[in-house]
Amino acid sequence: MGFRVNVYAVRGVLIDTAFHDVRAELAAWLDANRPDGAIVTHYHEDHAGNVELLAARGMPMWIAPATLTKVRTPDSILWYRRWCWGAQAPLVSPVQQFAHPSLEAIHTPGHSSEHHVVWDAERETVFGGDLFLGVKVRVTHPWPREDVRAQIASIRKVIALNPKRYFDGHRGLVRDPVPQLIAKADWTEETVGRIDALVDRGLSDREIVRSIFDGEDKWSIVTQYDYSRRNYVASVRATHAAGL
Ligand SMILES: [Zn+2]
């Protein structure tokens, strides 16, 4: 489908576990490279798809408590995600706790409520999971699975670290990341402000999608609106109504 996902190995630590359909390749890599442990950024099946494989092999993992709950009983995912990545096996094996003195997991909610980035302060490097993806991302999963407004604060939190290198979960190395992160935070904030103004004027989600985004795109249709611009608008409306 033209998607790719990256896992990273740094300081003997695996960051994320890729998707279920590449479990054989990942197992072969683990046999050859024997990392000390793994860190999982969030529960989505393209990042946490092989947590059971790692746990069953006795590999220690850092995984946020909310992520752990999610991967023990994975949500059923729509056909396009099963087809693209494969449904993940539920985590049933016990997880040994893992920590690395040079790698810090920082809570960055928005893309999902339990999303974390990994920060290597000494090397000024961020492993960003799905925090960035691109400057102008106009499609999201439905609220409250995805919270557009929370993303802005999370991106600004990472900007404040002033990273020199940034590795994205899908795009790979993002060069000169701070200006791109600032552009994303600014664009998202401006877009949210425009949506808020149209909500206040009484426009419907559909009218706002048409006004701000010039309608839906092909991924909205392909995913039956699971990943869509109307979700983006609905997320902004929900947090606007709640005064968040
Ligand atoms: Zn994700």
Side-chain angles (χ1 to χ4, degrees), residues 5 7 17-28 46 50 53 85:
V5 63
V7 301
T17 73
F19 49 98
H20 196 62
D21 283 355
V22 290
R23 57 196 177 279
E25 290 91 334
L26 181 66
D46 46 334
N50 291 299
L53 175 86
W85 311 118

Side-chain angles (χ1 to χ4, degrees), residues 40-42 62 64 67 105-108 114-118 127-129:
V40 181
T41 60
H42 65 300
W62 185 92
T67 309
I106 299 175
H107 188 210
T108 45
E114 39 63 85
H115 187 280
H116 284 72
V117 300
V118 179
F127 298 88

Side-chain angles (χ1 to χ4, degrees), residues 42-47 81 111-112 115 129-130 133 141 170:
H42 65 300
Y43 76 94
H44 289 160
E45 72 278 6
D46 46 334
H47 298 260
R81 294 170 66 175
H111 174 75
S112 64
H115 187 280
D130 283 350
L133 300 172
H141 292 119
H170 294 274

Side-chain angles (χ1 to χ4, degrees), residues 159-212:
I159 291 167
L161 301 171
N162 197 24
K164 297 285 181 290
R165 273 176 302 276
Y166 184 105
F167 292 93
D168 185 77
H170 294 274
R171 293 181 49 151
L173 176 64
V174 177
R175 292 181 195 282
D176 200 13
V178 169
Q180 295 214 57
L181 289 164
I182 291 172
K184 182 181 178 80
D186 288 350
W187 182 83
T188 306
E189 200 162 76
E190 190 214 316
T191 304
V192 165
R194 290 170 64 204
I195 293 171
D196 282 341
L198 295 180
V199 167
D200 286 338
R201 280 174 47 196
L203 270 68
S204 70
D205 287 3
R206 189 177 290 246
E207 288 167 327
I208 296 173
V209 168
R210 208 177 302 135
S211 168
I212 305 254

Side-chain angles (χ1 to χ4, degrees), residues 45 74-83 85-88:
E45 72 278 6
D75 299 335
S76 70
I77 52 175
L78 288 178
W79 67 271
Y80 78 93
R81 294 170 66 175
R82 271 201 307 277
W83 186 57
W85 311 118
Q88 70 192 82

Side-chain angles (χ1 to χ4, degrees), residues 50-113:
N50 291 299
V51 288
E52 171 55 24
L53 175 86
L54 268 59
R57 296 164 67 109
M59 180 177 297
M61 269 186 279
W62 185 92
I63 181 164
T67 309
L68 197 57
T69 303
K70 287 276 202 184
V71 297
R72 282 187 173 135
T73 51
D75 299 335
S76 70
I77 52 175
L78 288 178
W79 67 271
Y80 78 93
R81 294 170 66 175
R82 271 201 307 277
W83 186 57
C84 189
W85 311 118
Q88 70 192 82
L91 176 69
V92 291
S93 302
V95 172
Q96 295 178 47
Q97 291 300 313
F98 177 73
H100 189 284
S102 301
L103 300 173
E104 179 190 1
I106 299 175
H107 188 210
T108 45
H111 174 75
S112 64
S113 60

